[in-house]
Amino acid sequence: MTAFYAEHNKVFVAVDCIVFGFDKKKLKVLLGKRQMDPGRGEWSLYGGFVGENESIDEAAYRVLYKLTGLKHIYMRQVAAFGAVDRDPGERVVSVAYCALINVSDYQEDLLKKHGLEWVDVDAIPKLFSDHNIMIKKALTLLRMHINSEPLCFNLLPDLFTLTQLQLVYEAILGEELDKRNFRKRIKAIDTIEKTELIDKYSSKRGAALYRFNRRMYQEYPTFKL
């Protein structure tokens, strides 16, 4: 550290990670009981302070990897939160990040290790500090981009039915969609491919399985529902 800016007060910088998953027709978020003061025992998002030699993005990736054990997951910066009194302990500015993961990829032992739970987004309790506002802003961001970016596929397995895909859209948007119109729009998207495989577990009749062609999307990054 240098002696520059010695006349200014120091501020802590943190990251908070909003991890969304989809399970049992519900959009869920990872929450746990805070294990440090101030606010010990309160429901909270999972986060950490930014290290001296890392960027805020690097800090978020580090926290997310520690939290999920997963690499190369979808992550997006939501907003910075810097109210003077947002943390009763010290002056802390936090940058919130939103991540989307497939719940089936998440190891159950990590839930126990970190004392976390998957909580329905429509049943979130009162959280520490401004974490409720962070989640609300993250949901707003997802809803703004869901029809112009292939976000939903981060919440699904590689192979999925159109019913599963529609349920994810409905969970994020918080409203029901017309089945016929939804499928018509989905089938018009080149990067969503129908396979020859059939889902015989979640559908009695057997539903066709689809996949999202990520390679095609990387070459031609256009998506519009």
Side-chain angles (χ1 to χ4, degrees):
M1 298 293 288
T2 69
F4 296 117
Y5 314 124
E7 70 275 19
H8 296 287
N9 294 328
K10 300 300 186 289
V11 176
F12 291 92
V13 180
V15 294
D16 283 295
C17 296
I18 307 157
V19 181
F20 290 114
F22 178 76
D23 188 40
K24 299 177 181 178
K25 302 181 181 182
K26 295 284 187 177
L27 184 67
K28 299 175 182 286
V29 63
L30 273 180
L31 299 176
K33 295 293 183 70
R34 191 169 165 86
Q35 299 177 10
M36 62 186 295
D37 294 319
R40 186 182 298 272
E42 295 182 30
W43 284 101
S44 171
L45 292 169
Y46 195 91
F49 288 100
V50 179
E52 182 178 345
N53 297 311
E54 65 181 355
S55 69
I56 54 175
D57 283 354
E58 290 169 342
Y61 277 118
R62 170 177 56 79
V63 170
L64 279 170
Y65 180 70
K66 181 180 179 181
L67 176 64
T68 66
L70 302 173
K71 294 183 178 180
H72 310 300
I73 63 178
Y74 173 88
M75 183 187 81
R76 186 185 208 129
Q77 189 179 123
V78 176
F81 296 80
V84 175
D85 60 348
R86 65 171 300 275
D87 191 305
E90 292 285 354
R91 180 78 168 93
V92 180
V93 174
S94 183
V95 182
Y97 284 81
C98 168
L100 305 177
I101 68 172
N102 178 11
V103 170
S104 63
D105 290 337
Y106 190 82
Q107 300 175 22
E108 285 290 330
D109 60 333
L110 289 176
L111 285 174
K112 297 179 181 179
K113 178 180 178 180
H114 298 300
L116 298 169
E117 295 181 22
W118 284 110
V119 179
D120 292 355
V121 293
D122 56 2
I124 296 173
K126 174 66 174 67
L127 304 179
F128 174 75
S129 186
D130 48 12
H131 290 188
N132 288 89
I133 300 174
M134 290 182 178
I135 295 175
K136 184 176 180 180
K137 283 186 175 291
L139 279 171
T140 298
L141 190 66
L142 289 180
R143 288 165 180 164
M144 285 175 56
H145 295 278
I146 191 175
N147 289 331
S148 58
E149 297 179 23
L151 303 178
C152 286
F153 306 104
N154 297 289
L155 298 165
L156 289 166
D158 291 336
L159 296 174
F160 52 85
T161 66
L162 293 185
T163 296
Q164 289 174 318
L165 182 59
Q166 181 171 340
L167 288 172
V168 172
Y169 269 87
E170 291 176 340
I172 292 176
L173 294 172
E175 61 183 28
E176 292 186 8
L177 301 174
D178 180 79
K179 181 177 179 180
R180 180 176 297 179
N181 288 338
F182 178 81
R183 296 193 173 205
K184 180 179 179 181
R185 291 155 65 187
I186 287 296
K187 291 178 180 179
I189 300 175
D190 292 338
T191 48
I192 301 177
E193 301 175 338
K194 183 179 181 180
T195 72
E196 297 179 354
L197 302 174
I198 300 295
D199 174 24
K200 298 180 180 179
Y201 298 98
S202 60
S203 173
K204 293 182 179 179
R205 296 182 178 178
L209 287 167
Y210 289 73
R211 64 183 166 212
F212 176 65
N213 191 325
R214 296 182 184 276
R215 182 177 297 179
M216 180 186 294
Y217 178 75
Q218 290 173 353
E219 293 179 1
Y220 306 99
T222 57
F223 185 91
K224 184 175 178 58
L225 181 62

